[in-house]
Amino acid sequence: MKNSKNKKAEKRLRIKRKIRSKVSGTASLPRLSVFKSNKFIYAQIIDDEKAVTVVSANDVKSKTKGKNDRAKEVGKNIAGEAVKLGIKKVVFDRNGYKFIGRVSSLASGAREGGLEF
């Protein structure tokens, strides 16, 4: 019998595969991918045609209090770096996570930073 932790991870991976079958990044419209661990949150802007990470950001060295505030900061950071490289529009890949909490905060921070999706 599988434990509940494996069931939860399998469910997220199943949702992730479903999302990734529909969402893909190109050079003109790259993919903003989000990964969250229990402590930190990571974001990457990826060109799937070349299989290259264009920009990445995380909150590992952030001194901000609160996970949601740090996620919003990561969104602003990645948006700032992307705008410097001339990327204005992206496709958001929530990676199987629900669009609440830290994922939503990262997305709103990226929108405030100048990205459109």
Side-chain angles (χ1 to χ4, degrees):
M1 184 170 153
K2 295 182 180 182
N3 62 23
S4 62
K5 190 173 187 179
N6 286 344
K7 286 181 185 178
K8 187 174 181 179
E10 288 174 4
K11 181 179 179 183
R12 186 186 76 80
L13 291 175
R14 188 174 64 245
I15 294 168
K16 177 183 175 177
R17 282 192 298 269
K18 189 174 182 180
I19 292 169
R20 285 288 291 126
S21 69
K22 298 171 186 168
V23 174
S24 180
T26 63
S28 61
L29 193 67
R31 175 171 57 101
L32 173 59
S33 179
V34 176
F35 174 75
K36 63 179 189 170
S37 68
N38 287 336
K39 286 187 177 182
F40 305 114
I41 192 159
Y42 308 84
Q44 301 181 76
I45 294 182
I46 304 167
D47 178 2
D48 287 318
E49 290 176 340
K50 296 178 186 173
V52 173
T53 299
V54 181
V55 181
S56 66
N58 60 54
D59 66 341
V60 174
K61 295 182 180 177
S62 177
K63 302 292 182 195
T64 308
K65 299 273 184 171
K67 292 180 182 179
N68 283 332
D69 295 334
R70 289 198 322 251
K72 193 167 201 166
E73 183 181 313
V74 170
K76 288 180 183 177
N77 290 344
I78 199 159
E81 293 292 321
V83 169
K84 285 180 189 175
L85 294 174
I87 299 170
K88 302 260 192 240
K89 291 188 176 187
V90 295
V91 178
F92 191 74
D93 177 12
R94 58 190 175 90
N95 229 351
Y97 301 110
K98 291 182 180 179
F99 193 79
I100 58 172
R102 291 190 282 164
V103 177
S104 177
S105 294
L106 189 140
S108 66
R111 285 187 182 115
E112 286 177 16
L115 287 180
E116 296 178 25
F117 49 91

